[in-house]
Amino acid sequence: MTPVRLALALLASATLAAPALAQDGTLKKIKDSGTITIGHRDASIPFSYYDDKQQPVGYAMDLCHRIVDAVRANLKMPKIDIKYQLITSANRIPLMANGTIDLECGSTTNNLDRQKQVWFTITHFVTANRYMAKKSANLRSLEDLKGKTVVSTAGTTNIKQITELNAQRNLGLSILSANGHPEAFLMVETGRAAAFVMDDILLYSLVATSKAPGDYAIAADALSVEPYGIMVRKDDVAFKKVVDAAMVNTYKSGAINSIYGKWFLKPVPPKGINLNVPMGAAFKKVVANPTDSGDPAAYK
């Protein structure tokens, strides 16, 4: 075959393959299998966690169920079964990338570094990185942590940030990695760590549901801005379009107000704790002008 004919053959082959490739992705996976797999957490109250019946519930879960309804409508499939897959901070990105889960419904920070591996839908909460310690330790500023042992959860942006701050400010911290938020909290509770570095909303919920909430204090100074997003697979334009539309509709219709109120302004299962966290200015801005930005500056 001459070079010209070879080039034409390759071009024809690529042209024929393009429509097939366009049909690939999460929507095709769901249509072919009749199922969608939601990745969820076990203790990220109130976003994604187990209730007293070991059922995954939470704010992010409610949003993901609305997304599933939108997928059903898009595919014209009234019956799509939902499978639930327990995930951790450490394995959530690999399980999304390899196709084990289709939606990651938890408390995951959307940032520019993670966008190299996965995509995120419209931001559903804006929090900040802070630390929690026992009041008796009197740790009011980052400088007060000098030379102490701190803990954060493996696979989070928080552990990366405190490691960077430790080097930048020469704090001399000993940084421990926990397998989950409850384990990290327990380390502070039992004195194995002086402070737990994590997103403030998760710290508030852990303190509120602890044995002695009055024993703990959360630092006033924020170490960073953390926009949360539901993860989807990278480069899956068609699926992200459906997911984003479902989220925008949730905001523009006003449905977000009752969903938010249910999880942040009312008692939540299983202990009936009311976090009493009104919608912040940064998230109100997102509701008015939906964004999936991973740049913290977009939320200031």
Side-chain angles (χ1 to χ4, degrees):
M1 186 178 289
T2 66
V4 172
R5 285 184 177 178
L6 178 60
L8 289 172
L10 289 172
L11 178 61
S13 175
T15 302
L16 288 171
L21 287 172
Q23 296 300 314
D24 288 344
T26 306
L27 289 174
K28 183 177 187 301
K29 177 175 179 283
I30 294 167
K31 188 170 186 177
D32 290 348
S33 66
T35 63
I36 185 169
T37 303
I38 290 179
H40 66 90
R41 304 298 297 274
D42 60 352
S44 287
I45 300 171
F47 296 92
S48 179
Y49 66 100
Y50 282 134
D51 64 11
D52 54 357
K53 297 177 183 176
Q54 291 298 291
Q55 297 297 313
V57 297
Y59 171 68
M61 296 298 294
D62 280 4
L63 293 173
C64 278
H65 286 133
R66 288 182 66 92
I67 290 170
V68 174
D69 287 342
V71 171
R72 288 190 179 107
N74 178 270
L75 294 176
K76 297 180 174 58
M77 293 176 65
K79 182 174 171 53
I80 293 177
D81 293 329
I82 300 176
K83 291 184 178 179
Y84 296 100
Q85 172 68 49
L86 179 63
I87 57 172
T88 66
S89 296
N91 70 17
R92 55 191 166 181
I93 290 178
L95 290 180
M96 175 58 69
N98 70 18
T100 300
I101 59 175
D102 302 312
L103 289 169
E104 186 270 337
C105 309
S107 51
T108 300
T109 298
N110 172 9
N111 61 33
L112 300 178
D113 188 52
R114 283 177 172 165
Q115 286 179 10
K116 297 173 184 176
Q117 303 175 73
V118 293
W119 275 358
F120 293 84
T121 186
I122 307 300
T123 296
H124 63 266
F125 196 82
V126 183
T127 184
N129 186 13
R130 303 180 196 269
Y131 66 85
M132 177 276 298
K134 287 185 176 179
K135 288 180 180 176
S136 58
N138 201 31
L139 303 174
R140 299 181 181 278
S141 71
L142 196 59
E143 297 301 312
D144 292 335
L145 293 176
K146 273 192 173 181
K148 299 188 182 299
T149 298
V150 301
V151 63
S152 191
T153 307
T156 62
T157 55
N158 313 81
I159 199 164
K160 180 174 181 288
Q161 287 165 354
I162 195 62
T163 300
E164 291 170 350
L165 285 169
N166 186 35
Q168 291 167 8
R169 302 196 188 184
N170 195 28
L171 297 173
L173 299 175
S174 176
I175 301 172
L176 302 179
S177 173
N179 290 325
H181 306 323
E183 180 180 303
F185 189 91
L186 183 62
M187 288 184 182
V188 176
E189 187 177 46
T190 57
R192 285 179 286 166
F196 174 19
V197 181
M198 183 45 55
D199 301 340
D200 58 9
I201 186 60
L202 299 178
L203 293 177
Y204 288 131
S205 67
L206 287 163
V207 168
T209 55
S210 68
K211 298 173 186 175
D215 289 354
Y216 304 96
I218 296 170
D221 293 338
L223 306 180
S224 69
V225 175
E226 305 286 323
Y228 285 175
I230 292 166
M231 281 197 298
V232 296
R233 263 180 289 287
K234 189 175 185 294
D235 299 325
D236 196 335
V237 176
F239 186 61
K240 189 176 187 304
K241 183 178 179 181
V242 174
V243 173
D244 284 356
M247 291 293 290
V248 170
N249 178 62
T250 299
Y251 293 174
K252 296 300 184 183
S253 68
I256 187 62
N257 296 315
S258 60
I259 298 172
Y260 186 96
K262 172 184 173 182
W263 294 102
F264 294 96
L265 300 173
K266 296 178 180 178
V268 299
K271 296 183 179 181
I273 299 294
N274 188 341
L275 298 178
N276 194 25
V277 178
M279 193 180 289
F283 185 51
K284 284 181 179 179
K285 182 179 174 184
V286 174
V287 172
N289 297 286
T291 179
D292 63 356
S293 178
D295 182 357
Y299 302 92
K300 295 178 179 177

